[in-house]
Amino acid sequence: MSIISDSLKRIKPSPTIAVTQKARELRAAGRDVIGLGAGEPDFDTPDNIKEAAIKAIKDGDTKYTAVDGTPALKQAIVDKFKRENNLNYTTDQITVGAGGKHVIYNLMMATLNKGDEVIIPAPYWVSYPDIVLLTGATPVVIECSEEQGFKLTAKDLEATITNNTKWVILNSPSNPTGACYSEQEIKNLAHVLKRKPHVHILSDDIYEHITYEGFKFFTIAEIPELKNKVVTMNGVSKSYAMTGWRIGYAAGDKDVIKAIAKIQSQSTTNPSSISQAAAVEALNGTQEFIPIRSLAFQERRDFVVNSLNAIDGISCLKPDGAFYVFPSCKGLIGKKDKSGKKLENDTDFVQSLLENNNVAVVQGSAFGLDGFFRISYATSMENLEKAMSRIKEFCESLS
Ligand SMILES: *Cc1c(COP(=O)(O)O)cnc(C)c1O
């Protein structure tokens, strides 16, 4: 009998973390690899946030806290939702975990039974289906084509909902495509969901602050008839360049929030007291650097999209947010690389790119859509310039 549980056998390790790890190993072995696989900002955590953490340590803020967040952090989150989204919550509708991923994990563990279905639009963030599989429930993937901007349509949503659908997961701006849903697009989905009261919605808003050219962020909890059905997940990882601090949060129905705390009380207990103090400063302190950093991301996006579209066989949409692009490599599938290996799919494409031209990206199939790859442009312009010329060289070397 295997020591590994059946539920664990259903899942795989995160492919994006695997690519980052592979790039790190190759670099340690002396190869000049440029990693465009990582899903985190290259900027540093702002100083005022670091200072708040240092102060917390010095003040002895170093003990267990309330399981699902300190009163100060919950209040800062309530204030954030009011200030930025015009959403009213009370502190008992807020939960804090060790990163947004942890909050989603807890939410799914707390609510899913075997037989329940979770609708996941693809391309999706790699962790959604595997977290659902761990609970024993069933991920139901809807492919959203490049022609529809990689976005879910109301028609496809409606056709996929069954009596067993428990959650629909929305993620805008999206990882891996950068696609952003406009207010009207969300309202179109809401129109379907209002007529399906048994369906709950998880809105993953982690890239809320990374949008371009005046895109107006809108989140589905802003639709009054749906607010009680929506759990809105957000966190400090991406907006405040705090991936290592591990603080994510969610707002939603009191009973669901309480259930999340119950899981946390029997597993991780509270997230780090010091990180929570830092997150209070992130949310309450100056927000000035956010538009400045977004502008830097936008310049990189423009450079990357233009460079990719100038390569024969590659085409790339220009997304409104996050720090990813999701170009198609379909025009190069079937060609052979320098060593004579035929590229049968996007996985072959990214492996050959890494082996021959030292650029690490992630294959689209890892996100549920074949024929594409994801580039994270959260790295220096210098790195991006080098990477784009390497990708061009690689593509031109195929025959
Ligand atoms: C990064 C990310 C998260 C959460 O990240 P944490 O570091 O766990 O807070 C959630 N959803 C998406 C789509 C992400 O890219």
Side-chain angles (χ1 to χ4, degrees):
M1 219 182 12
S2 163
I3 191 165
I4 306 302
S5 72
D6 293 341
S7 55
L8 198 70
K9 283 183 204 143
R10 290 195 286 265
I11 71 163
K12 58 186 182 316
S14 161
T16 49
I17 293 176
V19 167
T20 310
Q21 182 61 27
K22 177 94 195 282
R24 211 176 274 142
E25 281 167 19
L26 288 173
R27 228 175 281 130
R31 285 258 300 269
D32 169 30
V33 170
I34 303 176
L36 303 180
E40 63 179 347
D42 54 318
F43 298 116
D44 198 3
T45 305
D47 282 337
N48 63 311
I49 299 173
K50 291 182 181 175
E51 293 300 333
I54 292 164
K55 180 166 186 309
I57 294 173
K58 289 194 172 149
D59 290 352
D61 210 349
T62 53
K63 303 293 204 301
Y64 290 131
T65 72
V67 164
D68 60 350
T70 60
L73 181 51
K74 286 190 175 187
Q75 189 58 50
I77 294 164
V78 165
D79 295 345
K80 178 264 177 238
F81 277 113
K82 180 68 197 158
R83 180 177 73 236
E84 296 185 340
N85 312 102
N86 199 25
L87 286 170
N88 291 306
Y89 289 105
T90 46
T91 49
D92 57 356
Q93 293 178 292
I94 304 291
T95 191
V96 182
K101 188 185 280 187
H102 185 216
V103 173
I104 295 175
Y105 178 84
N106 287 341
L107 174 65
M108 294 297 151
M109 290 304 267
T111 58
L112 289 174
N113 296 309
K114 194 165 183 295
D116 289 341
E117 295 172 2
V118 178
I119 295 181
I120 303 174
Y124 47 68
W125 186 47
V126 293
S127 296
Y128 302 140
D130 287 70
I131 289 174
V132 171
L133 285 169
L134 257 185
T135 70
T138 306
V140 178
V141 172
I142 306 181
E143 278 195 12
C144 305
S145 68
E146 188 180 28
E147 291 70 35
Q148 61 202 60
F150 304 118
K151 289 186 258 192
L152 178 63
T153 62
K155 187 164 158 271
D156 285 348
L157 174 63
E158 177 136 40
T160 311
I161 292 173
T162 71
N163 289 336
N164 296 325
T165 306
K166 197 146 199 185
W167 290 99
V168 175
I169 303 182
L170 300 178
N171 173 218
S172 166
S174 151
N175 175 3
T177 64
C180 298
Y181 288 71
S182 68
E183 180 169 344
Q184 189 55 52
E185 285 166 336
I186 294 206
K187 284 185 169 160
N188 295 345
L189 299 176
H191 184 68
V192 173
L193 292 163
K194 280 183 212 166
R195 284 180 279 117
K196 309 280 181 185
H198 68 291
V199 178
H200 300 256
I201 304 128
L202 167 61
S203 184
D204 179 343
D205 294 3
I206 197 94
Y207 294 99
E208 171 178 11
H209 290 123
I210 306 175
T211 60
Y212 309 127
E213 289 166 317
F215 174 85
K216 196 176 161 296
F217 177 82
F218 185 82
T219 192
I220 194 159
E222 291 179 71
I223 298 190
E225 301 95 313
L226 289 178
K227 187 173 173 234
N228 286 335
K229 299 272 168 217
V230 178
V231 171
T232 304
M233 187 233 94
N234 208 322
V236 295
S237 291
K238 310 292 161 53
S239 297
Y240 302 95
M242 292 175 69
T243 44
W245 300 75
R246 310 311 303 132
I247 296 291
Y249 58 84
D253 174 72
K254 241 187 267 184
D255 293 335
V256 176
I257 293 298
K258 220 190 214 158
I260 290 176
K262 193 169 169 187
I263 295 213
Q264 211 155 278
S265 78
Q266 293 291 21
S267 52
T268 58
T269 313
N270 61 279
S272 152
S273 56
I274 298 151
S275 296
Q276 289 189 75
V280 170
E281 174 61 21
L283 295 174
N284 289 349
T286 175
Q287 309 289 307
E288 270 171 11
F289 58 88
I290 289 179
I292 297 169
R293 289 181 173 186
S294 285
L295 207 58
F297 279 133
Q298 185 178 320
E299 280 168 19
R300 296 172 187 180
R301 175 204 63 171
D302 291 345
F303 170 72
V304 168
V305 169
N306 292 337
S307 306
L308 290 167
N309 281 323
I311 301 173
D312 265 354
I314 302 282
S315 66
C316 183
L317 293 184
K318 191 195 256 192
D320 290 316
F323 38 67
Y324 309 101
V325 290
F326 202 68
S328 164
C329 57
K330 286 180 190 163
L332 300 168
I333 300 304
K335 295 204 173 202
K336 287 189 183 142
D337 70 11
K338 276 185 296 201
S339 65
K341 185 179 173 343
K342 189 168 171 197
L343 308 180
E344 306 277 5
N345 50 40
D346 55 11
T347 305
D348 288 350
F349 178 87
V350 306
Q351 275 174 1
S352 183
L353 173 63
L354 180 57
E355 273 156 34
N356 292 295
N357 292 72
N358 291 318
V359 180
V361 298
V362 187
Q363 67 278 17
S365 47
F367 308 96
L369 201 67
D370 283 324
F372 297 84
F373 57 104
R374 187 191 76 172
I375 287 178
S376 163
Y377 52 85
T379 186
S380 69
M381 204 57 168
E382 192 191 342
N383 266 342
L384 291 172
E385 280 167 10
K386 249 196 274 177
M388 289 307 124
S389 63
R390 288 184 189 183
I391 292 175
K392 185 171 161 58
E393 237 169 76
F394 170 71
C395 293
E396 286 172 353
S397 76
L398 302 175
S399 53

